[in-house]
Amino acid sequence: MGTKPLFKWSKQIRPAQVEQLIRAEKDVKKALLIFDSATAEYGNGFRHDHNTFRVMISKLLSSNQFRPAEEMLSRMKEEKCSIPEDVFLSFCRAYGRVHRPLDAIRVFHKMNDFECKPTQKSYITVFAILVEENQLKVAMRFYRYMKEMGISPTVVSLNILIKALCKNSGTIDAAFRIFREMPNHGCNPDSYTFGTLINGLCRSGKTNEAKELFKEMKLKGCLPSVVTYTSLIHGLCQSKNIDEAMGLLEDMTTEGIQPNVFTYSSLMDGLCKNGRSSQALKLLVMMVGKLHKPNMITYSTLINGLCKEGKLPEAVEMLDRMKLQGIKPDAGLYGKIISGFCEIRKFQIAANFLDEMLILGISLNRLTWSLHVRINNIVVQGLCTDNDRNRAFQLYLSMRTRGISVEAETFDSLVKCFCNNGDLNKTSRIVDEMVLDGCVPDRETWNVVLCGLWDRRKVREASELLAIELMNELV
């Protein structure tokens, strides 16, 4: 029994009709079935044109199906279908989007093979992708190649070149030279040129030069964007000129430029790092009032600042707010709050947050692992000191399950806690596991264990433990 065709096309099937159906189909597999179904009508005189190919290629590229998309390109050549420049550019941009800039160059160089001569637009697109992906050496070679091919400098291409040179502090002077020479090429710097240089200077710690350029920008009638203001605000905060940065925020609003979440977060970061978290919280209220939603960076900044100043209730409130907003806190933020509670000896609350991390499935990574090894051990030791031995033992078991190493001081605390409370079964188990972990109990720990056993007339167990100690010393 034959398969039923997906479409029963009319005899007057037209490329525009096929294009419309493919464009309307959201599922790329179904779109491809429509395309192939139309191809089956070649015997009836139908031919795909550059529009049906273009829309199918676009669908494939959107779903990162690069090989089938390039096969479509080859089919267009075989079927002597003209391939417009924007089809090649869609390939370049798609490869740039998935961080494959070298494939973008490869497709660009294929254009001549397909009898499509690249224009200035193609050169600039590829150049921009290389700079965006930090392929700076390749980008500079490509720029020289552009010049060799007779592509004249434009404001856009020079802006991209300046952006490339601003990526490294060592080449900012070269960026400035190009900036000063731009008028000689008939290209006047625009707001983007100034903004790129100001951002580069701020990232290199040259805030004073950035401020001078900002003044020059305004004198030349180039309106700073929110990005330029934010770059300068961030630079001022990094150089501890917080009040000046706050003044720029006022200037922005006066000139009708609305700060964004990055502007506010930069200011909050500067305030928190300088012990002014109360002002940062006021900025948060202002930001939310302007309908800007705080992001992970905003909350991290505030929680770090509040913990640093010992304002733990406010830090916990921020943690709750971010969870309500649907942003999952990471192990680093929990670590800050747990450390804060440990410092004020609130070990039960610290343990509650460790439990919460497990419930939410927050995993540790390479950067947060050592922090959490330290705080888990501190919390167990603190719980032992507070004689909350059941909680301490549960956390100890959890540490072993998760592969978090137990320190010698933690073993000592657990042994003393359980031995002093007459729980010899748990004491014995902890000592066994301590020895298994290669952590030899010190003399004080052995004295506690032996005294506890002797007092309860368990001479046999005491002698066995003593034998283990002597064997370890002999080894």
Side-chain angles (χ1 to χ4, degrees), residues 179-248:
F179 166 67
R180 294 302 179 198
E181 288 168 10
M182 280 178 77
N184 300 335
H185 296 286
C187 304
N188 288 318
D190 58 12
S191 294
Y192 187 87
T193 322
F194 280 101
T196 302
L197 281 164
I198 288 166
N199 183 39
L201 287 166
C202 288
R203 283 195 293 110
S204 298
K206 299 179 177 180
T207 317
N208 289 330
E209 291 95 321
K211 281 158 61 178
E212 290 304 312
L213 195 60
F214 187 74
K215 287 177 191 172
E216 183 183 331
M217 175 184 192
K218 294 177 91 174
L219 283 171
K220 291 192 173 173
C222 288
L223 187 67
S225 68
V226 63
V227 176
T228 306
Y229 266 108
T230 302
S231 296
L232 191 52
I233 284 169
H234 183 70
L236 289 166
C237 287
Q238 292 294 100
S239 58
K240 299 188 177 180
N241 294 322
I242 312 297
D243 293 327
E244 199 173 345
M246 292 291 283
L248 269 184

Side-chain angles (χ1 to χ4, degrees), residues 22 25 27-36 56 59:
I22 294 170
E25 181 53 66
D27 187 321
V28 70
K29 288 181 181 175
K30 289 179 182 176
L32 200 52
L33 283 172
I34 295 167
F35 185 91
D36 290 340
M56 194 61 246
K59 290 275 181 189

Side-chain angles (χ1 to χ4, degrees), residues 188-420:
N188 288 318
D190 58 12
S191 294
Y192 187 87
T193 322
F194 280 101
T196 302
L197 281 164
I198 288 166
N199 183 39
L201 287 166
C202 288
R203 283 195 293 110
S204 298
K206 299 179 177 180
T207 317
N208 289 330
E209 291 95 321
K211 281 158 61 178
E212 290 304 312
L213 195 60
F214 187 74
K215 287 177 191 172
E216 183 183 331
M217 175 184 192
K218 294 177 91 174
L219 283 171
K220 291 192 173 173
C222 288
L223 187 67
S225 68
V226 63
V227 176
T228 306
Y229 266 108
T230 302
S231 296
L232 191 52
I233 284 169
H234 183 70
L236 289 166
C237 287
Q238 292 294 100
S239 58
K240 299 188 177 180
N241 294 322
I242 312 297
D243 293 327
E244 199 173 345
M246 292 291 283
L248 269 184
L249 181 70
E250 288 178 24
D251 292 348
M252 282 179 76
T253 49
T254 305
E255 292 181 19
I257 298 167
Q258 289 303 314
N260 60 24
V261 64
F262 302 105
T263 319
Y264 286 111
S265 295
S266 293
L267 278 165
M268 287 178 204
D269 185 54
L271 289 164
C272 286
K273 281 178 178 170
N274 286 275
R276 293 163 67 174
S277 62
S278 297
Q279 274 182 275
L281 288 175
K282 286 176 184 174
L283 264 186
L284 178 69
V285 173
M286 186 191 299
M287 173 180 157
V288 172
K290 300 278 186 184
L291 304 180
H292 291 298
K293 280 189 176 181
N295 60 18
M296 185 70 175
I297 295 167
T298 317
Y299 284 119
S300 299
T301 297
L302 288 167
I303 289 169
N304 285 334
L306 291 163
C307 287
K308 190 177 168 186
E309 292 179 42
K311 296 176 178 176
L312 293 171
E314 292 92 334
V316 171
E317 186 189 335
M318 287 301 112
L319 194 75
D320 291 338
R321 279 180 70 159
M322 72 187 292
K323 285 185 288 184
L324 283 170
Q325 198 180 309
I327 301 172
K328 191 176 180 180
D330 61 16
L333 286 183
Y334 270 101
K336 291 280 183 186
I337 287 174
I338 294 163
S339 295
F341 280 111
C342 288
E343 282 172 21
I344 58 171
R345 305 194 63 77
K346 299 277 187 184
F347 297 110
Q348 283 84 3
I349 298 173
N352 290 343
F353 280 108
L354 285 171
D355 291 343
E356 190 176 293
M357 281 183 68
L358 287 174
I359 292 163
L360 293 176
I362 293 166
S363 55
L364 309 181
N365 59 31
R366 187 173 53 83
L367 295 172
T368 54
W369 186 264
S370 58
L371 167 67
H372 277 269
V373 167
R374 185 173 62 81
I375 60 179
N376 272 271
N377 278 281
I378 289 169
V379 174
V380 172
Q381 290 168 37
L383 290 168
C384 288
T385 305
D386 291 350
N387 206 29
D388 192 349
R389 57 187 184 280
N390 290 332
R391 194 79 185 274
F393 190 69
Q394 288 304 315
L395 182 53
Y396 162 73
L397 293 178
S398 173
M399 286 171 70
R400 294 191 74 84
T401 305
R402 289 177 290 147
I404 294 175
S405 54
V406 183
E407 294 170 356
E409 293 87 346
T410 306
F411 278 120
D412 289 343
S413 297
L414 285 162
V415 168
K416 286 169 189 171
C417 181
F418 284 103
C419 207
N420 291 338

Side-chain angles (χ1 to χ4, degrees), residues 4-112:
K4 189 178 177 182
L6 182 69
F7 284 94
K8 187 168 175 63
W9 299 101
S10 65
K11 288 184 180 179
Q12 289 80 33
I13 176 176
R14 290 173 292 105
Q17 181 187 359
V18 178
E19 181 196 351
Q20 191 178 5
L21 285 167
I22 294 170
R23 198 181 294 279
E25 181 53 66
K26 290 181 180 177
D27 187 321
V28 70
K29 288 181 181 175
K30 289 179 182 176
L32 200 52
L33 283 172
I34 295 167
F35 185 91
D36 290 340
S37 176
T39 306
E41 297 295 313
Y42 270 30
N44 296 328
F46 170 78
R47 283 289 181 276
H48 284 295
D49 66 3
H50 68 274
N51 287 318
T52 56
F53 273 112
R54 176 169 26 195
V55 72
M56 194 61 246
I57 286 169
S58 177
K59 290 275 181 189
L60 290 165
L61 291 175
S62 295
S63 58
N64 296 338
Q65 295 190 37
F66 295 101
R67 186 172 288 179
E70 291 207 35
E71 284 168 3
M72 285 278 174
L73 210 56
S74 299
R75 273 185 63 179
M76 288 179 82
K77 185 179 180 181
E78 286 165 19
E79 295 184 21
K80 295 183 170 50
C81 183
S82 65
I83 310 175
E85 182 183 32
D86 68 326
V87 170
F88 287 98
L89 291 184
S90 65
F91 273 94
C92 294
R93 292 189 189 103
Y95 277 125
R97 176 172 47 78
V98 296
H99 312 296
R100 290 168 61 179
L102 300 183
D103 278 311
I105 291 185
R106 179 179 58 77
V107 171
F108 169 81
H109 285 305
K110 278 172 72 171
M111 288 175 75
N112 285 321

